[in-house]
Amino acid sequence: MIQFLEKYAAAIIGITLGYYIYKYCGINHESSKEFIKQYTTIGTCLFGFLLTLFSIIIQGKNVVIDKIKSNRKTFVRFVCLNKQVVIVTLLLTIYAYIIGYINIECFISASMYKEEILNIITIVFYGGFIWTLLITIYFLIIFYFIIQGKEE
């Protein structure tokens, strides 16, 4: 059950809240464009931070890092969660760059569903943003639990 929650709960919550934001908060592509552009900087910094943290854990030699590595099951779980966070952050950063800086309106300008397509693109971004936020927070909580010596 815990593995299911670790793998899928954040994605499901992200997609659901992304749709909720669109449906009930009145956020659309045009009003979100500047935030999407700014996310590329945030996502790049988060990506770098998570990779740096990962490399410190893998290559480091001190008491805390040896403690993390000593419990193989927890360490593997920690590495897998870090991998998931890094991949989702990288993909969302690339997606935000594409929809923020490339004028996608010109590609769909002839479509009679232009607004709906742009709003779906924005919903996907917000869902991914919430997903990234949730798994990053979860990853940091697991990291602090491991440092404090708690296993679950």
Side-chain angles (χ1 to χ4, degrees):
M1 182 67 171
I2 298 253
Q3 286 83 13
F4 176 80
L5 291 175
E6 283 180 5
K7 288 183 180 182
Y8 303 111
I12 293 168
I13 292 169
I15 291 167
T16 305
L17 287 178
Y19 178 75
Y20 178 81
I21 288 170
Y22 163 71
K23 191 74 173 168
Y24 300 107
C25 296
I27 293 177
N28 59 25
H29 181 72
E30 196 57 42
S31 66
S32 301
K33 196 156 185 136
E34 191 58 36
F35 175 65
I36 292 169
K37 285 182 178 179
Q38 294 302 319
Y39 181 80
T40 57
T41 305
I42 296 166
T44 304
C45 292
L46 182 59
F47 178 74
F49 166 74
L50 292 167
L51 280 181
T52 302
L53 182 63
F54 181 68
S55 65
I56 288 171
I57 298 298
I58 295 295
Q59 298 174 358
K61 299 283 183 209
N62 71 27
V63 177
V64 174
I65 293 173
D66 289 341
K67 184 179 179 182
I68 292 171
K69 290 179 179 178
S70 68
N71 185 335
R72 187 77 181 142
K73 181 181 174 189
T74 305
F75 182 68
V76 168
R77 182 176 168 203
F78 177 76
V79 169
C80 289
L81 189 57
N82 181 272
K83 183 173 94 173
Q84 180 186 12
V85 174
V86 167
I87 290 171
V88 170
T89 302
L90 176 65
L91 292 176
L92 186 63
T93 303
I94 293 168
Y95 183 73
Y97 183 81
I98 290 169
I99 67 172
Y101 288 100
I102 295 175
N103 190 6
I104 55 176
E105 288 91 352
C106 69
F107 294 112
I108 57 173
S109 62
S111 174
M112 59 192 261
Y113 301 108
K114 178 182 176 182
E115 277 305 310
E116 289 82 6
I117 293 170
L118 290 173
N119 288 334
I120 289 170
I121 289 169
T122 306
I123 291 169
V124 171
F125 170 76
Y126 277 107
F129 175 72
I130 294 166
W131 182 11
T132 302
L133 190 66
L134 291 174
I135 61 175
T136 301
I137 291 169
Y138 184 67
F139 172 76
L140 292 174
I141 289 170
I142 297 271
F143 178 69
Y144 288 120
F145 279 159
I146 290 172
I147 288 175
Q148 292 173 353
K150 299 175 184 174
E151 296 306 321
E152 292 295 326

